[in-house]
mmCIF file of all heavy atoms in Angstrom:
data_model
loop_
_atom_site.group_PDB
_atom_site.id
_atom_site.type_symbol
_atom_site.label_atom_id
_atom_site.label_comp_id
_atom_site.label_asym_id
_atom_site.label_seq_id
_atom_site.Cartn_x
_atom_site.Cartn_y
_atom_site.Cartn_z
ATOM 1 N N ARG T 3 3.903 1.563 -1.119
ATOM 2 C CA ARG T 3 4.536 1.740 -2.413
ATOM 3 C C ARG T 3 3.549 2.405 -3.387
ATOM 4 O O ARG T 3 3.923 3.255 -4.192
ATOM 5 C CB ARG T 3 4.891 0.368 -2.996
ATOM 6 C CG ARG T 3 6.333 -0.009 -2.709
ATOM 7 C CD ARG T 3 6.522 -1.469 -2.951
ATOM 8 N NE ARG T 3 7.621 -1.917 -2.138
ATOM 9 C CZ ARG T 3 8.916 -1.778 -2.453
ATOM 10 N NH1 ARG T 3 9.221 -1.233 -3.622
ATOM 11 N NH2 ARG T 3 9.880 -2.222 -1.669
ATOM 12 N N LEU T 4 2.303 2.009 -3.265
ATOM 13 C CA LEU T 4 1.303 2.557 -4.126
ATOM 14 C C LEU T 4 1.175 4.053 -3.938
ATOM 15 O O LEU T 4 1.148 4.854 -4.915
ATOM 16 C CB LEU T 4 -0.037 1.883 -3.819
ATOM 17 C CG LEU T 4 -1.143 2.085 -4.848
ATOM 18 C CD1 LEU T 4 -0.738 1.405 -6.125
ATOM 19 C CD2 LEU T 4 -2.431 1.470 -4.317
ATOM 20 N N ALA T 7 4.117 5.801 -5.374
ATOM 21 C CA ALA T 7 4.033 5.853 -6.834
ATOM 22 C C ALA T 7 3.073 6.983 -7.267
ATOM 23 O O ALA T 7 3.404 7.764 -8.142
ATOM 24 C CB ALA T 7 3.537 4.505 -7.366
ATOM 25 N N CYS T 11 4.037 10.515 -9.288
ATOM 26 C CA CYS T 11 3.322 10.930 -10.511
ATOM 27 C C CYS T 11 2.895 12.377 -10.397
ATOM 28 O O CYS T 11 3.080 13.170 -11.305
ATOM 29 C CB CYS T 11 2.107 10.053 -10.752
ATOM 30 S SG CYS T 11 2.530 8.529 -11.493
ATOM 31 N N ILE T 14 5.876 14.754 -10.700
ATOM 32 C CA ILE T 14 6.254 14.972 -12.084
ATOM 33 C C ILE T 14 5.300 15.939 -12.740
ATOM 34 O O ILE T 14 5.715 16.850 -13.456
ATOM 35 C CB ILE T 14 6.240 13.619 -12.850
ATOM 36 C CG1 ILE T 14 7.311 12.675 -12.271
ATOM 37 C CG2 ILE T 14 6.553 13.839 -14.336
ATOM 38 C CD1 ILE T 14 7.243 11.260 -12.783
ATOM 39 N N ALA T 18 5.765 20.477 -14.189
ATOM 40 C CA ALA T 18 5.410 21.130 -15.466
ATOM 41 C C ALA T 18 4.705 22.470 -15.222
ATOM 42 O O ALA T 18 4.540 23.260 -16.122
ATOM 43 C CB ALA T 18 4.524 20.255 -16.285
ATOM 44 N N LEU T 19 4.303 22.717 -13.966
ATOM 45 C CA LEU T 19 3.532 23.924 -13.692
ATOM 46 C C LEU T 19 4.297 25.238 -13.905
ATOM 47 O O LEU T 19 3.747 26.159 -14.473
ATOM 48 C CB LEU T 19 2.966 23.853 -12.270
ATOM 49 C CG LEU T 19 1.862 22.822 -12.081
ATOM 50 C CD1 LEU T 19 1.299 22.840 -10.667
ATOM 51 C CD2 LEU T 19 0.719 23.069 -13.091
ATOM 52 N N MET T 28 -4.004 32.254 -23.162
ATOM 53 C CA MET T 28 -4.827 31.124 -23.616
ATOM 54 C C MET T 28 -6.007 31.674 -24.411
ATOM 55 O O MET T 28 -6.708 32.510 -23.926
ATOM 56 C CB MET T 28 -5.368 30.353 -22.404
ATOM 57 C CG MET T 28 -4.441 29.316 -21.791
ATOM 58 S SD MET T 28 -3.764 28.050 -22.872
ATOM 59 C CE MET T 28 -5.237 27.393 -23.669
ATOM 60 N N ASN T 37 -7.950 26.526 -39.291
ATOM 61 C CA ASN T 37 -7.758 25.734 -40.471
ATOM 62 C C ASN T 37 -7.238 26.523 -41.682
ATOM 63 O O ASN T 37 -6.548 25.975 -42.536
ATOM 64 C CB ASN T 37 -9.123 25.096 -40.883
ATOM 65 C CG ASN T 37 -9.410 23.875 -40.036
ATOM 66 O OD1 ASN T 37 -8.599 23.468 -39.229
ATOM 67 N ND2 ASN T 37 -10.586 23.319 -40.242
ATOM 68 N N ASP T 42 -1.656 30.147 -37.189
ATOM 69 C CA ASP T 42 -0.329 29.525 -37.192
ATOM 70 C C ASP T 42 0.671 30.276 -38.025
ATOM 71 O O ASP T 42 1.839 30.407 -37.663
ATOM 72 C CB ASP T 42 -0.408 28.085 -37.699
ATOM 73 C CG ASP T 42 -0.775 27.112 -36.600
ATOM 74 O OD1 ASP T 42 -0.626 27.484 -35.412
ATOM 75 O OD2 ASP T 42 -1.221 25.996 -36.910
ATOM 76 N N GLU T 56 3.386 34.614 -25.720
ATOM 77 C CA GLU T 56 3.063 33.415 -26.502
ATOM 78 C C GLU T 56 1.540 33.198 -26.479
ATOM 79 O O GLU T 56 0.926 33.368 -25.419
ATOM 80 C CB GLU T 56 3.778 32.237 -25.892
ATOM 81 C CG GLU T 56 3.698 30.970 -26.694
ATOM 82 C CD GLU T 56 4.410 29.844 -26.016
ATOM 83 O OE1 GLU T 56 4.638 29.893 -24.823
ATOM 84 O OE2 GLU T 56 4.746 28.886 -26.762
ATOM 85 N N LYS T 58 -1.347 30.416 -26.846
ATOM 86 C CA LYS T 58 -1.707 29.034 -26.966
ATOM 87 C C LYS T 58 -3.196 29.012 -27.356
ATOM 88 O O LYS T 58 -4.024 29.582 -26.617
ATOM 89 C CB LYS T 58 -1.544 28.297 -25.672
ATOM 90 C CG LYS T 58 -0.110 28.009 -25.269
ATOM 91 C CD LYS T 58 -0.135 27.126 -24.062
ATOM 92 C CE LYS T 58 1.254 26.857 -23.544
ATOM 93 N NZ LYS T 58 1.154 26.129 -22.256
ATOM 94 N N PHE T 59 -3.513 28.420 -28.470
ATOM 95 C CA PHE T 59 -4.929 28.469 -28.834
ATOM 96 C C PHE T 59 -5.521 27.067 -29.033
ATOM 97 O O PHE T 59 -4.847 26.133 -29.382
ATOM 98 C CB PHE T 59 -5.206 29.291 -30.090
ATOM 99 C CG PHE T 59 -4.641 28.700 -31.371
ATOM 100 C CD1 PHE T 59 -5.415 27.801 -32.087
ATOM 101 C CD2 PHE T 59 -3.400 29.029 -31.854
ATOM 102 C CE1 PHE T 59 -4.966 27.250 -33.250
ATOM 103 C CE2 PHE T 59 -2.918 28.483 -33.014
ATOM 104 C CZ PHE T 59 -3.703 27.574 -33.735
ATOM 105 N N MET T 70 -15.863 27.504 -23.057
ATOM 106 C CA MET T 70 -14.561 27.403 -22.402
ATOM 107 C C MET T 70 -14.287 28.711 -21.662
ATOM 108 O O MET T 70 -13.654 28.687 -20.586
ATOM 109 C CB MET T 70 -13.459 27.178 -23.422
ATOM 110 C CG MET T 70 -13.394 25.737 -23.870
ATOM 111 S SD MET T 70 -12.015 25.529 -25.016
ATOM 112 C CE MET T 70 -11.815 23.764 -24.926
ATOM 113 N N GLU T 72 -16.506 30.590 -20.302
ATOM 114 C CA GLU T 72 -17.381 30.539 -19.130
ATOM 115 C C GLU T 72 -16.791 29.651 -18.059
ATOM 116 O O GLU T 72 -16.934 29.908 -16.869
ATOM 117 C CB GLU T 72 -18.787 30.034 -19.504
ATOM 118 C CG GLU T 72 -19.817 30.254 -18.443
ATOM 119 C CD GLU T 72 -21.227 29.918 -18.876
ATOM 120 O OE1 GLU T 72 -21.374 29.199 -19.890
ATOM 121 O OE2 GLU T 72 -22.161 30.422 -18.274
ATOM 122 N N ASN T 73 -16.074 28.580 -18.457
ATOM 123 C CA ASN T 73 -15.431 27.698 -17.503
ATOM 124 C C ASN T 73 -14.078 28.249 -17.045
ATOM 125 O O ASN T 73 -13.349 27.555 -16.327
ATOM 126 C CB ASN T 73 -15.211 26.299 -18.138
ATOM 127 C CG ASN T 73 -16.450 25.530 -18.290
ATOM 128 O OD1 ASN T 73 -17.464 25.868 -17.666
ATOM 129 N ND2 ASN T 73 -16.442 24.504 -19.103
ATOM 130 N N CYS T 74 -13.699 29.448 -17.471
ATOM 131 C CA CYS T 74 -12.454 30.089 -17.067
ATOM 132 C C CYS T 74 -11.205 29.373 -17.594
ATOM 133 O O CYS T 74 -10.146 29.459 -16.978
ATOM 134 C CB CYS T 74 -12.376 30.229 -15.532
ATOM 135 S SG CYS T 74 -13.711 31.112 -14.827
ATOM 136 N N ASP T 75 -11.357 28.607 -18.645
ATOM 137 C CA ASP T 75 -10.176 27.878 -19.135
ATOM 138 C C ASP T 75 -9.317 28.689 -20.121
ATOM 139 O O ASP T 75 -8.233 28.280 -20.468
ATOM 140 C CB ASP T 75 -10.638 26.600 -19.870
ATOM 141 C CG ASP T 75 -11.243 25.609 -18.872
ATOM 142 O OD1 ASP T 75 -10.791 25.578 -17.709
ATOM 143 O OD2 ASP T 75 -12.160 24.866 -19.258
ATOM 144 N N LEU T 177 -14.016 22.043 -43.037
ATOM 145 C CA LEU T 177 -13.441 21.335 -44.218
ATOM 146 C C LEU T 177 -13.930 19.887 -44.346
ATOM 147 O O LEU T 177 -14.258 19.452 -45.428
ATOM 148 C CB LEU T 177 -11.920 21.421 -44.185
ATOM 149 C CG LEU T 177 -11.419 22.728 -44.808
ATOM 150 C CD1 LEU T 177 -10.006 23.027 -44.372
ATOM 151 C CD2 LEU T 177 -11.468 22.700 -46.303
ATOM 152 N N PRO T 178 -13.984 19.097 -43.211
ATOM 153 C CA PRO T 178 -14.589 17.787 -43.310
ATOM 154 C C PRO T 178 -16.024 17.867 -43.851
ATOM 155 O O PRO T 178 -16.444 17.013 -44.662
ATOM 156 C CB PRO T 178 -14.565 17.266 -41.883
ATOM 157 C CG PRO T 178 -13.476 18.012 -41.219
ATOM 158 C CD PRO T 178 -13.426 19.344 -41.873
ATOM 159 N N LYS T 199 -9.365 28.199 -48.723
ATOM 160 C CA LYS T 199 -8.381 27.226 -48.246
ATOM 161 C C LYS T 199 -8.675 25.867 -48.936
ATOM 162 O O LYS T 199 -7.803 25.165 -49.396
ATOM 163 C CB LYS T 199 -8.490 27.085 -46.741
ATOM 164 C CG LYS T 199 -7.685 25.955 -46.145
ATOM 165 C CD LYS T 199 -6.221 26.213 -46.130
ATOM 166 C CE LYS T 199 -5.460 24.951 -45.746
ATOM 167 N NZ LYS T 199 -4.037 25.076 -45.889
ATOM 168 N N LEU J 35 5.184 9.136 -19.702
ATOM 169 C CA LEU J 35 4.694 9.556 -18.387
ATOM 170 C C LEU J 35 3.468 8.685 -17.974
ATOM 171 O O LEU J 35 3.394 8.208 -16.871
ATOM 172 C CB LEU J 35 4.331 11.037 -18.474
ATOM 173 C CG LEU J 35 4.091 11.808 -17.174
ATOM 174 C CD1 LEU J 35 5.335 11.723 -16.319
ATOM 175 C CD2 LEU J 35 3.740 13.262 -17.479
ATOM 176 N N CYS J 39 3.174 6.002 -14.789
ATOM 177 C CA CYS J 39 2.117 6.096 -13.786
ATOM 178 C C CYS J 39 1.256 4.861 -13.815
ATOM 179 O O CYS J 39 0.981 4.270 -12.740
ATOM 180 C CB CYS J 39 1.296 7.322 -14.037
ATOM 181 S SG CYS J 39 2.122 8.835 -13.680
ATOM 182 N N SER J 42 3.263 1.890 -12.283
ATOM 183 C CA SER J 42 3.580 1.946 -10.852
ATOM 184 C C SER J 42 2.300 1.861 -9.990
ATOM 185 O O SER J 42 2.382 1.480 -8.856
ATOM 186 C CB SER J 42 4.389 3.218 -10.536
ATOM 187 O OG SER J 42 3.755 4.340 -11.037
ATOM 188 N N ILE J 43 1.164 2.252 -10.535
ATOM 189 C CA ILE J 43 -0.050 2.090 -9.782
ATOM 190 C C ILE J 43 -0.722 0.744 -10.106
ATOM 191 O O ILE J 43 -1.233 0.054 -9.217
ATOM 192 C CB ILE J 43 -1.040 3.229 -10.101
ATOM 193 C CG1 ILE J 43 -0.389 4.574 -9.768
ATOM 194 C CG2 ILE J 43 -2.337 3.064 -9.309
ATOM 195 C CD1 ILE J 43 -1.219 5.781 -10.247
ATOM 196 N N TYR J 82 -11.591 16.254 -18.420
ATOM 197 C CA TYR J 82 -11.823 17.692 -18.705
ATOM 198 C C TYR J 82 -12.686 18.287 -17.604
ATOM 199 O O TYR J 82 -12.396 19.389 -17.092
ATOM 200 C CB TYR J 82 -12.447 17.871 -20.103
ATOM 201 C CG TYR J 82 -12.759 19.323 -20.390
ATOM 202 C CD1 TYR J 82 -11.816 20.137 -21.008
ATOM 203 C CD2 TYR J 82 -13.959 19.888 -20.051
ATOM 204 C CE1 TYR J 82 -12.068 21.464 -21.272
ATOM 205 C CE2 TYR J 82 -14.239 21.233 -20.297
ATOM 206 C CZ TYR J 82 -13.281 22.004 -20.924
ATOM 207 O OH TYR J 82 -13.555 23.337 -21.147
ATOM 208 N N THR J 86 -11.105 21.394 -15.561
ATOM 209 C CA THR J 86 -11.484 22.760 -15.960
ATOM 210 C C THR J 86 -11.423 23.648 -14.722
ATOM 211 O O THR J 86 -11.646 23.178 -13.599
ATOM 212 C CB THR J 86 -12.863 22.767 -16.644
ATOM 213 O OG1 THR J 86 -13.149 24.072 -17.023
ATOM 214 C CG2 THR J 86 -13.934 22.223 -15.705
ATOM 215 N N ARG J 87 -11.088 24.964 -14.921
ATOM 216 C CA ARG J 87 -10.829 25.848 -13.820
ATOM 217 C C ARG J 87 -11.943 25.828 -12.772
ATOM 218 O O ARG J 87 -11.691 25.929 -11.585
ATOM 219 C CB ARG J 87 -10.691 27.285 -14.324
ATOM 220 C CG ARG J 87 -9.384 27.607 -14.905
ATOM 221 C CD ARG J 87 -8.376 28.200 -13.960
ATOM 222 N NE ARG J 87 -7.072 28.300 -14.591
ATOM 223 C CZ ARG J 87 -6.763 29.257 -15.470
ATOM 224 N NH1 ARG J 87 -7.632 30.184 -15.761
ATOM 225 N NH2 ARG J 87 -5.598 29.266 -16.025
ATOM 226 N N ASN J 88 -13.201 25.684 -13.273
ATOM 227 C CA ASN J 88 -14.342 25.668 -12.328
ATOM 228 C C ASN J 88 -14.590 24.259 -11.795
ATOM 229 O O ASN J 88 -15.528 24.072 -11.028
ATOM 230 C CB ASN J 88 -15.578 26.217 -13.035
ATOM 231 C CG ASN J 88 -15.506 27.697 -13.216
ATOM 232 O OD1 ASN J 88 -14.623 28.352 -12.668
ATOM 233 N ND2 ASN J 88 -16.399 28.245 -14.030
ATOM 234 N N THR J 94 -5.239 23.110 -10.061
ATOM 235 C CA THR J 94 -3.921 22.532 -10.409
ATOM 236 C C THR J 94 -3.381 23.097 -11.703
ATOM 237 O O THR J 94 -2.205 22.969 -11.979
ATOM 238 C CB THR J 94 -4.036 21.010 -10.559
ATOM 239 O OG1 THR J 94 -5.062 20.746 -11.533
ATOM 240 C CG2 THR J 94 -4.403 20.311 -9.275
ATOM 241 N N LEU J 97 -5.110 21.527 -17.019
ATOM 242 C CA LEU J 97 -5.776 21.485 -18.275
ATOM 243 C C LEU J 97 -4.883 22.035 -19.391
ATOM 244 O O LEU J 97 -4.184 23.034 -19.165
ATOM 245 C CB LEU J 97 -7.094 22.265 -18.232
ATOM 246 C CG LEU J 97 -8.049 22.080 -19.406
ATOM 247 C CD1 LEU J 97 -8.538 20.689 -19.504
ATOM 248 C CD2 LEU J 97 -9.199 23.070 -19.283
ATOM 249 N N PHE J 98 -4.937 21.436 -20.564
ATOM 250 C CA PHE J 98 -4.108 21.880 -21.692
ATOM 251 C C PHE J 98 -2.614 21.697 -21.396
ATOM 252 O O PHE J 98 -1.799 22.497 -21.888
ATOM 253 C CB PHE J 98 -4.434 23.325 -22.124
ATOM 254 C CG PHE J 98 -5.864 23.555 -22.431
ATOM 255 C CD1 PHE J 98 -6.493 24.685 -21.991
ATOM 256 C CD2 PHE J 98 -6.558 22.618 -23.199
ATOM 257 C CE1 PHE J 98 -7.834 24.932 -22.277
ATOM 258 C CE2 PHE J 98 -7.903 22.837 -23.469
ATOM 259 C CZ PHE J 98 -8.533 23.989 -23.057
ATOM 260 N N PRO J 101 1.096 16.753 -18.627
ATOM 261 C CA PRO J 101 0.713 15.942 -17.480
ATOM 262 C C PRO J 101 -0.794 15.767 -17.376
ATOM 263 O O PRO J 101 -1.235 14.699 -16.963
ATOM 264 C CB PRO J 101 1.248 16.754 -16.305
ATOM 265 C CG PRO J 101 2.364 17.556 -16.865
ATOM 266 C CD PRO J 101 1.950 17.896 -18.266
ATOM 267 N N VAL J 142 6.373 -7.785 1.199
ATOM 268 C CA VAL J 142 6.899 -6.991 0.099
ATOM 269 C C VAL J 142 7.804 -7.819 -0.760
ATOM 270 O O VAL J 142 7.739 -7.824 -1.994
ATOM 271 C CB VAL J 142 7.639 -5.737 0.626
ATOM 272 C CG1 VAL J 142 8.310 -5.036 -0.515
ATOM 273 C CG2 VAL J 142 6.638 -4.816 1.311
ATOM 274 N N TRP J 146 7.468 -8.799 -4.773
ATOM 275 C CA TRP J 146 8.533 -8.601 -5.775
ATOM 276 C C TRP J 146 8.861 -9.922 -6.485
ATOM 277 O O TRP J 146 9.004 -9.958 -7.700
ATOM 278 C CB TRP J 146 9.785 -7.999 -5.176
ATOM 279 C CG TRP J 146 9.664 -6.484 -5.133
ATOM 280 C CD1 TRP J 146 9.694 -5.694 -4.049
ATOM 281 C CD2 TRP J 146 9.454 -5.641 -6.256
ATOM 282 N NE1 TRP J 146 9.497 -4.392 -4.396
ATOM 283 C CE2 TRP J 146 9.360 -4.323 -5.739
ATOM 284 C CE3 TRP J 146 9.310 -5.836 -7.627
ATOM 285 C CZ2 TRP J 146 9.141 -3.192 -6.555
ATOM 286 C CZ3 TRP J 146 9.112 -4.724 -8.465
ATOM 287 C CH2 TRP J 146 9.027 -3.432 -7.904
ATOM 288 N N ILE J 181 -2.647 21.963 -28.840
ATOM 289 C CA ILE J 181 -1.953 23.243 -28.961
ATOM 290 C C ILE J 181 -0.570 23.049 -29.573
ATOM 291 O O ILE J 181 0.243 22.273 -29.080
ATOM 292 C CB ILE J 181 -1.830 23.888 -27.563
ATOM 293 C CG1 ILE J 181 -3.212 24.211 -26.980
ATOM 294 C CG2 ILE J 181 -1.032 25.235 -27.666
ATOM 295 C CD1 ILE J 181 -3.186 24.575 -25.536
ATOM 296 N N LYS J 182 -0.341 23.766 -30.689
ATOM 297 C CA LYS J 182 0.904 23.606 -31.420
ATOM 298 C C LYS J 182 2.099 23.864 -30.497
ATOM 299 O O LYS J 182 2.087 24.789 -29.737
ATOM 300 C CB LYS J 182 0.901 24.601 -32.559
ATOM 301 C CG LYS J 182 1.933 24.283 -33.647
ATOM 302 C CD LYS J 182 1.761 25.253 -34.798
ATOM 303 C CE LYS J 182 2.786 25.024 -35.827
ATOM 304 N NZ LYS J 182 2.634 26.065 -36.902
ATOM 305 N N HIS J 184 3.001 22.510 -27.959
ATOM 306 C CA HIS J 184 2.833 22.170 -26.546
ATOM 307 C C HIS J 184 2.155 20.805 -26.357
ATOM 308 O O HIS J 184 2.725 19.878 -25.835
ATOM 309 C CB HIS J 184 2.043 23.233 -25.849
ATOM 310 C CG HIS J 184 2.757 24.547 -25.792
ATOM 311 N ND1 HIS J 184 3.766 24.804 -24.911
ATOM 312 C CD2 HIS J 184 2.640 25.647 -26.571
ATOM 313 C CE1 HIS J 184 4.223 26.009 -25.134
ATOM 314 N NE2 HIS J 184 3.578 26.537 -26.157
ATOM 315 N N GLY J 197 -8.772 17.367 -40.852
ATOM 316 C CA GLY J 197 -9.763 18.446 -40.811
ATOM 317 C C GLY J 197 -9.488 19.536 -41.788
ATOM 318 O O GLY J 197 -10.375 20.240 -42.263
ATOM 319 N N LYS J 198 -8.155 19.746 -42.053
ATOM 320 C CA LYS J 198 -7.790 20.834 -43.011
ATOM 321 C C LYS J 198 -7.824 20.315 -44.432
ATOM 322 O O LYS J 198 -7.509 21.036 -45.374
ATOM 323 C CB LYS J 198 -6.352 21.272 -42.686
ATOM 324 C CG LYS J 198 -6.292 22.271 -41.549
ATOM 325 C CD LYS J 198 -4.935 22.304 -40.920
ATOM 326 C CE LYS J 198 -3.890 23.077 -41.686
ATOM 327 N NZ LYS J 198 -2.617 23.180 -40.890
ATOM 328 N N GLU J 200 -5.869 18.035 -45.567
ATOM 329 C CA GLU J 200 -4.520 17.607 -45.969
ATOM 330 C C GLU J 200 -4.366 16.116 -45.670
ATOM 331 O O GLU J 200 -3.651 15.717 -44.763
ATOM 332 C CB GLU J 200 -3.456 18.388 -45.194
ATOM 333 C CG GLU J 200 -3.623 19.907 -45.214
ATOM 334 C CD GLU J 200 -2.998 20.533 -46.446
ATOM 335 O OE1 GLU J 200 -2.489 19.791 -47.310
ATOM 336 O OE2 GLU J 200 -3.032 21.781 -46.570
#
Side-chain angles (χ1 to χ4, degrees):
Chain T
R3 266 165 206 277
L4 193 66
C11 279
I14 296 170
L19 291 181
M28 276 306 307
N37 281 356
D42 274 342
E56 190 180 20
K58 287 188 183 174
F59 69 86
M70 282 183 162
E72 193 173 19
N73 287 344
C74 303
D75 292 329
L177 276 160
K199 170 73 189 173
Chain J
L35 195 57
C39 290
S42 52
I43 301 170
Y82 177 89
T86 181
R87 283 266 172 78
N88 288 346
T94 55
L97 190 66
F98 304 137
V142 172
W146 274 120
I181 299 168
K182 196 176 177 183
H184 295 282
K198 280 158 76 174
E200 309 274 4

